[in-house]
Amino acid sequence: MGNCLNHSKKSNAEIAPFDFIKSTTAIKLYGSPTAACTAYIRFALLYKTLSLDFVPTTDTPDSQLVLQIGSKTVSGSRETLLRFIDAKLPQPPLMLPEIEGFGETTPWIMRAVVLQHRSMRWHLERLVNWGEDLTTRGGRKTVDPAMGSPRMEIRKFSKSYSQLLEIMLEHAQMEERVVFPILEMADRGICRAANEEHARDLPIMNGIKEDIKSIGVLDTGSPDYREALCNLSTRLKSLLEHCKEHFEEEEKDLLPLMEAVELSKEQQLKVLEQCFDLMHGTDSHLFNFLIEGLLPWEAMHYLDLILTCKDEEKAASMLCSIIE
């Protein structure tokens, strides 16, 4: 993840976890403009092409799509079209036989939690790199005109961190209210350490937010400004290390125990619904931010999870928000 960090020509504020050359092959997609499956395929094609021609239809079922790539045309479900897309435009792949860390029996809730971890980790790594760049420049403007003045760049940095902070807080609350209670019912006390780590990191995360606010009012380029940037960079690196350790411990020691709980498919579905329902901001105004931190095949898998448990209207609303 984030494998373009050292090679991208974009600023540290704009890098994506996967850079690739998009196809210029003519592509047409026919489908209902309000259907979740249509938004799903339109999003998938954003990874592949620069020349999508979407043709809205009203006389076909919401789940029926028609996709034309070059001279080839396929119709059917979203799974059928996704396979067709990968066959015609292999890079980047959107469907993998196995996504790293997941097996056939991996519970849905574990998949959702791990994918959220990966997105949060990528965004935090991006902010660490961005913070180092700010510190190195010490108040000088970036070469990227889109960042504006140093003060404008700090505002952008603050916005990005605030978005990440909101997701991290919602994620922690979701674990404490949904995931951990299930494990605690099977083995009381097993989640004590994870809960303590959540409590430990909260003051650090809020403190960083206040640090960024303070930097925003300092004189750009002054000794105090440069010192504050240096301190901010150090605290971000510390938070990143804490989060990496915490995520790894959960994924190694806690989350695999969800399989041992042996939830039925119906129970898994209910738990997954609770997970998404509790993360209001993440599933609305921060949804695009979350998806941005995932590799293409991870993002598509996360959308699959949403389509598994969300009703058509809610799923369509969420998916449409990332293609508008």
Side-chain angles (χ1 to χ4, degrees), residues 10-267:
K10 298 179 182 179
S11 74
N12 283 330
E14 296 180 316
I15 49 179
F18 196 90
D19 277 348
F20 47 86
I21 299 174
K22 296 184 180 181
S23 170
T24 56
T25 302
I27 299 177
K28 277 191 174 183
L29 174 66
Y30 302 82
S32 168
T34 59
C37 59
T38 303
Y40 177 92
I41 294 299
R42 289 180 68 185
F43 175 74
L45 288 168
L46 291 176
Y47 287 116
K48 303 280 193 173
T49 182
L50 294 170
S51 56
L52 172 63
D53 181 11
F54 174 58
V55 182
T57 60
T58 57
D59 56 350
T60 57
D62 284 352
S63 60
Q64 187 69 27
L65 300 170
V66 177
L67 178 63
Q68 179 181 347
I69 300 180
S71 60
K72 298 289 185 179
T73 301
V74 168
S75 63
S77 66
R78 72 175 194 271
E79 292 85 358
T80 299
L81 267 63
L82 204 59
R83 292 191 185 94
F84 176 60
I85 292 169
D86 264 359
K88 299 296 291 184
L89 305 169
Q91 296 300 324
L94 302 180
M95 299 181 74
L96 296 180
E98 287 188 12
I99 296 179
E100 182 183 359
F102 301 153
E104 289 186 7
T105 60
T106 303
W108 291 333
I109 183 62
M110 179 177 173
R111 294 168 185 261
V113 169
V114 170
L115 289 173
Q116 289 171 9
H117 284 174
R118 292 179 184 179
S119 177
M120 291 185 291
R121 184 165 55 240
W122 180 81
H123 277 292
L124 190 49
E125 288 171 346
R126 179 177 67 96
L127 285 167
V128 166
N129 286 328
W130 193 357
E132 287 182 332
D133 186 41
L134 285 167
T135 302
T136 300
R137 286 186 278 118
R140 295 190 302 275
K141 289 177 62 175
T142 178
V143 295
D144 183 2
M147 286 292 100
S149 68
R151 199 175 299 279
M152 292 166 67
E153 185 177 5
I154 288 295
R155 291 196 190 101
K156 293 177 186 291
F157 188 94
S158 177
K159 178 182 178 181
S160 188
Y161 180 78
S162 294
Q163 290 174 318
L164 175 59
L165 178 59
E166 186 174 349
I167 289 179
M168 293 177 76
L169 292 176
E170 286 196 344
H171 174 85
Q173 291 169 0
M174 176 274 295
E175 287 186 330
E176 292 165 5
R177 295 173 63 180
V178 177
V179 179
F180 294 169
I182 294 173
L183 296 174
E184 286 281 338
M185 288 177 62
D187 188 348
R188 182 172 297 278
I190 197 169
C191 298
R192 184 181 297 114
N195 276 311
E196 290 173 352
E197 287 173 5
H198 284 181
R200 175 201 65 189
D201 288 340
L202 180 59
I204 298 174
M205 294 188 294
N206 287 330
I208 290 173
K209 184 176 181 179
E210 294 305 312
D211 287 347
I212 298 171
K213 287 182 180 179
S214 299
I215 292 171
V217 298
L218 293 174
D219 290 336
T220 303
S222 67
D224 287 345
Y225 181 86
R226 291 193 294 270
E227 182 181 0
L229 284 176
C230 185
N231 291 336
L232 172 63
S233 179
T234 299
R235 296 191 73 178
L236 282 169
K237 290 175 184 176
S238 177
L239 177 60
L240 174 60
E241 291 308 310
H242 285 173
C243 287
K244 281 183 175 180
E245 181 181 346
H246 176 67
F247 293 162
E248 288 170 3
E249 288 175 353
E250 283 191 354
E251 292 171 20
K252 178 183 176 183
D253 300 329
L254 276 185
L255 295 177
L257 298 178
M258 290 296 295
E259 287 193 52
V261 176
E262 297 182 338
L263 298 176
S264 67
K265 288 293 184 182
E266 292 76 15
Q267 290 172 322

